Amino acid sequence: MALQMFVTFSPWNCLLLLVALECSEASSDLNESANSTAQYAPNAWFAAASSEPDERISVFELDYDYVQIPYEVTLWILLASLAKIGFHLYRRLPGLMPESCLLILVGALVGAIIFGTDHKSPPVMDSSIYFLYLLPPIVLEGGYFMPTRPFFENIGSILWWAVLGALINALGIGLSLYFICQVKAFGLGDVNLLQNLLFGSLISAVDPVAVLAVFEEARVNEQLYMMIFGEALLNDGITVVLYNMLIAFTKMHKFEDIEPVDILAGCARFIIVGLGGILFGIVFGFISAFITRFTQNISAIEPLIVFMFSYLSYLAAETLYLSGILAITACAVTMKKYVEENVSQTSYTTIKYFMKMLSSVSETLIFIFMGVSTVGKNHEWNWAFICFTLAFCQIWRAISVFALFYISNQFRTFPFSIKDQCIIFYSGVRGAGSFSLAFLLPLSLFPRKKMFVTATLVVIYFTAFIQGITVGPLVRYLDVKKTNKKESINEELHIRLMDHLKAGIEDVCGHWSHYQVRDKFKKFDHRYLRKILIRKNLPKSSIVSLYKKLEMKQAIEMVETGILSSTAFSIPHQARRIQGIKRLSPEDVESIRDILTSNMYQVRQRTLSYNKYNLKPQTSEKQAKEILIRRQNTLRESMRKGHSLPWGKPAGTKNVRYLSFTYGNPQSAGRDTRAAEFSDDDSSDPGSPSIMFSALSRIGSLKKQEAQEIIPMKSLHRGRKAFNSGYQRNTSQEEYLGGVRRVALRPKPLFHAVDEEGESGGESEGKASLVEVQSRWTTDRGHGRDHNRSHSPLLQKK
Amino acid sequence: MGSRSSHVAIPDADSIRRETGFSQASLLRLHHRFRALDRNKKGYLSRMDLQQIGALAVNPLGDRIIESFFPDGSQQVDFPGFVRVLAHFRPVEDEDTETQDPKKPEPLNSRRNKLHYAFQLYDLDGDGKISRHEMLQVLRLMVGVQVTEEQLENIADRTVQEADEDGDGAVSFVEFTKSLEKMDVEQKMSIRILK
């Protein structure tokens, strides 16, 4: 269709697509009615000359039925994507309402179109499509992007809340609705207990992650974040297990036949299904991690392995009637750590993005199906049922939140405040999961299915829109922001300083968790698991190093353009400002305040940042890079001048070399592993790029090597008039030294500190900012010094 | 949690507790952290050890924070010193203010001491005043590269000017305290895990 142009912005594109769709529907009807032989059209092309054509061979034909389903599905997905683009273009919208609202609207729109054009056979979701194709990507994405450390630290609370919360909600809502159904006046007498329980279980499937984006800027503490995330993760699994169990119950028995034995068996089954699924997931996770150990030569199939094994774990668990959702979640969690280290850079990025894409598509499709079934004639509106459902959803969620947290607070070191509990209560937004389960109720067992679907839709719409939109203001209100907007510049500066200070001290304190279990696991992990699952170090391809070269170049450019404007840092400016202090006008003050607020560095967010629909561009990474580069410069500058740090201590006689730094953001786990790759890369490729901020080099014995990568350094220096070329830079050799050492260690550093003992022995003191995350690095550093000299023969080779 | 860790006795645990006000559990955790940071098991921390905390490198004030652990030019910090710094960030509880014995020294996490700690981050030369130059340096640390030097100087000027009351062109500790009197410093500079 010629109208399939790629229009990027504005909601008018929806109209264009609407027109396109209309045309396609119209022409399909036209085709059907006018040209009865249209069905034969595809066959006609294939059935060569044997058939006598009844009419002239038409030069231009239209066959819509052949492509109908993929065509429409593609159009839907495209429409949703365009809507998302529009959504994000309006800056304020993402903060106002969750993205799932947008998807619901798009779905409703498509539903309206389909209804309006009286489309005969739109693609419909059925049980196998949902459970086999649409659900796994969503769950996989949730499991993969889950931050593991906070999850396992809070695992007790999370399990307690997710499992029991889901159970309480399901049973509570089911039972309450059953009692409502008993009331004759509402005309619901034919809905028995099992059906109510089933409805309760499917309506309690919440999707709280959708609202996380809304209150992202409010500093939600880590524990709260983890609770919401954990609940979202486990909730799907639990509701589906419950759902399937209850369906089995419904199929097997009439209500009166159910005996306590069955109920006991049901509970046992619940546990087995859950644990079995997790076990399957872990096994498959380890297998896939093991396999990725060997894929270095065919890195193109690495994403394939990851996805196939996750999917396989899901299917294998489903075969045995275990919980596929929990299996795929466990698989993703297990696999992530090892796979990320084994897999190449591009594969890693591919996996992340592909996962997001798949889950995004799945969810879009589910919402569109939801929209399609919203706008239609197949509703059954029963005031009582719907209103009570809504009411009970809220009531039971409140009960479960406050009761369960009250109990778990007794055992927690850091109890959840009432504020936190309110946020958790209010984030109980229903999403695609509930709708799917309602839609897939077998009609034979549920004669009043339409009523259930209608009620589910109402709950989803209500919670998604009303709660989704108001949760942001609520959180901000609860967060008790400062009331006075007019802060003086002093206050702003000091507040930001204190925030940074607090973040820094928090980092010094580290994470206080259950050390015992974590340490034990770490030991076990190091000793056995990593040996089996992580690949041995081998040189990476040159493509990878090229990629890293480009990154480095960008970093260098940024430094040049950025810092050039404000030259040497530590030149005292006393001379210039002898005159009296100017009195600044209010406008100046305002502009100063604006400059300050917009340009001050953000405090490093210890709380996690997860967006369900998006992989956020890492602005904090750029900031971190900036900070790091500036620190390096300052330190180098001050070293050169003979001061170590601005507070005037004499420079140590140590020679410190700063080797490669890659990504400054210590948050994302993936980055650490990227840095690990980088280090391995160095070992193989001595000319590999790293910004060498080497200070006074004491190793005159090492040859200077004019490697390619020094040139960017030179251009960097050329820009600074302050620096002179009295610098000695030993680049590749030292780096190679460090690299060789690193091969043995496999550290995961952000920087490599290679400390050299100068003439004076004794304690090494880094005057510079070197960061090292892994402890093994330092323990071997001592050995490294000894190896230093012995490696010099190796240098001759290069 | 802490009680099951390997029992390395904390020397002078009682005196540290009295001085800093930490609970026994917190002290044990801090000791565990101290030992984790002290890679070579030296018994004290050097700057190197603190610099290996990855997150500090991307903190604009990372260097200064590390430096604050080493008062008076020392090169090592032992456990009491380590804890003393962290004690500034203990949340202020009501019981601290009630049992305020006028003869006892002010607890380390009092508002005044917290502010003093922050003040020291500005005042590098330790003369008890934040000069314009020092203010400018802090600004440089905290502001992105897009801001020109000229603008930074303006901001520094304005900041000093706002707070300076006696007109000496520098901000003394008293003036610093006064400029922050409306701010909830206790909450800003408290880390809730440090009970």
Side-chain angles (χ1 to χ4, degrees), chain B residues 36-119:
Chain B
L37 288 172
D38 177 17
R39 312 232 183 224
N40 302 333
K41 303 282 173 270
K42 309 182 291 289
Y44 54 85
L45 293 179
S46 65
R47 284 198 180 76
M48 191 80 234
D49 294 320
L50 287 174
Q51 275 156 5
Q52 268 144 21
I53 302 171
L56 278 183
V58 291
N59 192 316
L61 301 170
D63 289 321
R64 297 201 177 200
I65 296 176
I66 294 176
E67 197 56 34
S68 72
F69 279 90
F70 301 91
D72 314 322
S74 58
Q75 305 300 325
Q76 307 164 352
V77 59
D78 57 0
F79 182 63
F82 180 72
V83 172
R84 221 169 277 132
V85 171
L86 294 179
H88 286 105
F89 288 86
R90 209 161 63 83
V92 177
E93 285 145 53
D94 297 323
E95 32 134 299
D96 286 338
T97 50
E98 275 166 26
T99 58
Q100 193 65 1
D101 189 355
K103 286 198 289 279
K104 271 169 52 178
E106 214 175 324
L108 282 171
N109 64 340
S110 70
R111 183 191 168 92
R112 187 172 174 282
N113 277 328
K114 286 184 201 276
L115 281 172
H116 194 257
Y117 182 76
F119 185 80

Side-chain angles (χ1 to χ4, degrees), chain A residues 490 494-495 499-500 502 507-508 569 577 582 599 601 630-631 647 649 765 768 770-772 778, chain B residues 29 33 39 51-52 54 57 59 63 67 75 122 140 142-144 153 157 159 161 183 188 190:
Chain A
N490 257 296
H494 297 321
I495 287 170
D499 284 337
H500 280 298
K502 181 170 168 179
D507 292 324
V508 171
F569 284 111
R577 312 294 301 186
K582 300 187 295 193
N599 280 303
Y601 285 129
R630 294 178 76 187
R631 283 183 84 210
W647 38 94
K649 295 212 183 56
E765 253 188 18
L770 308 171
V771 182
E772 225 276 85
T778 34
Chain B
R29 280 193 219 122
R33 176 69 175 167
R39 312 232 183 224
Q51 275 156 5
Q52 268 144 21
N59 192 316
D63 289 321
E67 197 56 34
Q75 305 300 325
Y122 286 93
R140 274 205 205 103
M142 300 221 316
V143 172
E153 285 177 13
D157 277 337
T159 319
Q161 178 190 328
M183 196 166 91
K188 273 272 168 210
S190 292

Side-chain angles (χ1 to χ4, degrees), chain A residues 594-723:
Chain A
D594 288 337
I595 294 174
L596 212 53
T597 33
S598 56
N599 280 303
M600 279 205 284
Y601 285 129
Q602 300 293 320
V603 182
R604 184 179 84 86
Q605 288 285 349
R606 278 193 118 215
T607 61
L608 319 150
S609 167
Y610 169 77
N611 190 328
K612 188 172 187 188
Y613 300 99
N614 210 353
L615 281 165
K616 281 223 149 127
Q618 304 278 18
T619 49
S620 56
E621 251 182 53
K622 273 177 39 190
Q623 172 185 308
K625 259 195 213 168
E626 216 176 272
I627 296 177
L628 289 165
I629 295 177
R630 294 178 76 187
R631 283 183 84 210
Q632 311 289 31
N633 283 337
T634 323
L635 286 156
R636 183 175 40 156
E637 164 83 66
S638 49
M639 281 258 207
R640 194 180 66 84
K641 287 177 143 199
H643 299 282
S644 62
L645 290 164
W647 38 94
K649 295 212 183 56
T653 53
K654 300 301 155 230
N655 172 33
V656 190
R657 288 162 297 151
Y658 311 58
L659 301 178
S660 51
F661 74 88
T662 56
Y663 304 86
N665 190 351
Q667 269 180 312
S668 51
R671 297 306 176 197
D672 294 343
T673 63
R674 293 308 100 201
E677 279 215 0
F678 200 91
S679 67
D680 300 325
D681 191 37
D682 291 345
S683 64
S684 61
D685 185 6
S688 78
S690 21
I691 289 190
M692 300 309 299
F693 292 114
S694 60
L696 321 161
S697 161
R698 307 297 307 266
I699 310 183
S701 57
L702 293 173
K703 287 190 294 197
K704 256 197 292 191
Q705 185 176 341
E706 290 296 326
Q708 270 270 338
E709 285 63 34
I710 299 187
I711 295 179
M713 276 303 295
K714 280 201 181 135
S715 65
L716 178 66
H717 284 289
R718 232 177 272 126
R720 308 162 174 288
K721 304 174 196 72
F723 305 159

